Amino acid sequence: MRAKYINPFTDFGFKKIFGEEASKPLLIDFLNALLPQTNKIIDLNFKNTEQLGQTDSDRKAIYDIYCENENGEKFIVELQKAKQNYFKERTIYYSTFPIREQAEKGEWNYNLKAVYCVGILDFKFGDYESEHERSEFVHSIKLKNQNGKVFYEKLTYIYLEMPNFNLSESDLETRLDKWLYFIKHLEDFQTIPTIFSDEVFTQAFEKAELANYGQADLDSYENSLKTYRDLKGVIDTAFDEGKSEGKIERSVEVAKAAKQMGLSTADIIKLTGLSESEINQL
C-alpha cells in the first residue's frame, strides 16, 4: 500500500514537519513536551544551522535544526538515522558552539543562557548497564558531581531512543508519548488516529500528507527517502558486521558509499566524524 504520509526519519520529512517557519507551533509543542513544566517555550527563532569554528582550521558543526527561544536559550535538534563512531562525542562537541557564541566583547560576567541538545535516534545505544536502562526511551543527561548532584543546570542532553519506544495507542498517556508515537508510526498511518484530534497534530498531519505536495517537493522527498534507506543499510551493515579494520576504517567505508550516493560533504561529516579534508581525499 502506498504511503499517505512522509517518513519523518528522512531529512526532507524531518525538516518539513519541524524545521520550517510554518512548523514553529509543532516544534514548540514537541520541545515543550520534553521540558519541565516550569520552562515552557512561548516563541522560537530559527538560527543558522551551520556553525563555524573560531579559525579556518576549526571543524564546522552542521545541525538539523538550531533555534532560540524568547529568553535566549538555545536548542539543537538532531535526527540521527544510524549508529556512527563517537556519536556521543559529536553531541558534546556540537553543544560547545551555542555556548561559545554567547561570549561578549569587552567586560563580560560569563552568565550563560541554557543550551539543550535533543537527539532523535533511530537506533539503540547498546551500552546499557541494567535491564531497566535497556528499556528506557528517554535519556535526560546533565553534568553531575560524584554524589549525583547536578553541578550545572544550563546544559542538558536529551536522547530519544526510538527503537525502545513500543507503546501502543491505548498506552499513550503524556504529550511526549503522543509525539513519539506520531514520529515512529507516521509513515504507516492511512487515517488519523483519534488521539491526534487537537489543532497542533491536525497541522502536523497536513504538513506530512504527500497529497499536499507539488511535484518538486515530491521529487525531493523521494530522493531523500532513497538516500535514507540506502545509507541506513550501508551504515547498519558496517557496524553489525563488526569489521576487523576498526572504527576509522569503518568510517572510511561508510564515507565512500555516501559519496557514491551523492551525499554532501556536510552530511558525510555528520555521519562519519571524518574531516572535510579526509573526505575529499577518498
Side-chain angles (χ1 to χ4, degrees):
M1 183 179 295
R2 185 175 178 82
K4 183 176 181 180
Y5 299 103
I6 56 177
N7 182 329
F9 290 99
T10 62
D11 288 337
F12 179 94
F14 184 69
K15 291 174 182 175
K16 176 64 70 173
I17 296 170
F18 291 116
E20 296 183 343
E21 193 70 23
S23 303
K24 274 187 184 179
L26 311 183
L27 182 60
I28 290 172
D29 194 274
F30 172 68
L31 291 176
N32 279 337
L34 281 171
L35 301 176
Q37 293 294 318
T38 55
N39 193 24
K40 292 301 182 183
I41 300 168
I42 298 174
D43 192 18
L44 286 174
N45 289 314
F46 287 112
K47 296 174 66 67
N48 187 359
T49 57
E50 181 174 355
Q51 302 297 301
L52 304 178
Q54 294 179 328
T55 67
D56 291 341
S57 61
D58 285 348
R59 286 178 179 266
K60 298 177 182 179
I62 301 175
Y63 311 133
D64 289 327
I65 296 174
Y66 181 34
C67 53
E68 178 180 278
N69 72 1
E70 69 281 359
N71 296 320
E73 297 173 328
K74 321 291 184 180
F75 298 84
I76 299 168
V77 186
E78 285 276 292
L79 178 69
Q80 190 66 33
K81 295 180 277 293
K83 292 180 182 179
Q84 68 164 225
N85 297 327
Y86 310 116
F87 165 68
K88 294 178 184 179
E89 285 86 347
R90 183 171 69 84
T91 307
I92 302 300
Y93 174 71
Y94 273 19
S95 70
T96 65
F97 284 84
I99 293 173
R100 287 188 295 171
E101 75 174 15
Q102 297 183 53
E104 298 178 5
K105 293 182 178 180
E107 293 187 8
W108 177 47
N109 63 6
Y110 291 92
N111 184 21
L112 295 168
K113 299 293 184 180
V115 173
Y116 297 86
C117 298
V118 178
I120 303 173
L121 315 182
D122 195 18
F123 62 90
K124 294 187 177 186
F125 280 130
D127 54 352
Y128 312 105
E129 294 185 358
S130 68
E131 192 63 35
H132 173 70
E133 188 180 12
R134 192 185 309 277
S135 64
E136 290 181 323
F137 53 84
V138 179
H139 303 269
S140 185
I141 300 159
K142 289 181 179 288
L143 297 178
K144 296 184 179 181
N145 65 15
Q146 70 274 17
N147 300 314
K149 182 179 179 181
V150 175
F151 170 73
Y152 184 63
E153 287 280 359
K154 295 181 181 179
L155 181 60
T156 305
Y157 302 92
I158 302 175
Y159 301 105
L160 303 172
E161 211 167 351
M162 297 304 293
N164 282 351
F165 181 79
N166 297 310
L167 297 182
S168 64
E169 183 178 337
S170 60
D171 294 328
L172 306 180
E173 296 180 355
T174 68
R175 189 70 173 178
L176 181 58
D177 288 346
K178 291 183 178 181
W179 269 115
L180 298 187
Y181 189 80
F182 171 87
I183 292 170
K184 185 165 186 175
H185 298 287
L186 176 60
E187 190 181 22
D188 300 324
F189 292 140
Q190 288 298 314
T191 59
I192 301 177
T194 56
I195 57 167
F196 297 121
S197 58
D198 62 76
E199 183 178 347
V200 169
F201 279 114
T202 297
Q203 183 180 350
F205 276 98
E206 288 177 356
K207 293 277 294 179
E209 188 170 356
L210 291 168
N212 294 331
Y213 298 167
Q215 192 58 50
D217 274 350
L218 288 174
D219 291 342
S220 296
Y221 172 62
E222 288 299 327
N223 289 334
S224 184
L225 183 62
K226 183 180 185 303
T227 298
Y228 163 73
R229 289 170 175 168
D230 291 348
L231 190 58
K232 192 172 187 301
V234 169
I235 296 174
D236 287 347
T237 299
F239 277 88
D240 289 345
E241 290 180 353
K243 297 185 182 298
S244 60
E245 303 97 305
K247 290 182 177 180
I248 294 178
E249 286 75 9
R250 290 202 300 272
S251 292
V252 170
E253 182 179 334
V254 170
K256 288 180 178 178
K259 285 188 73 173
Q260 290 176 354
M261 284 186 277
L263 263 71
S264 68
T265 300
D267 285 337
I268 299 173
I269 291 172
K270 281 182 56 179
L271 288 165
T272 64
L274 297 176
S275 69
E276 184 173 351
S277 61
E278 289 169 332
I279 293 168
N280 290 337
Q281 292 172 10
L282 296 178

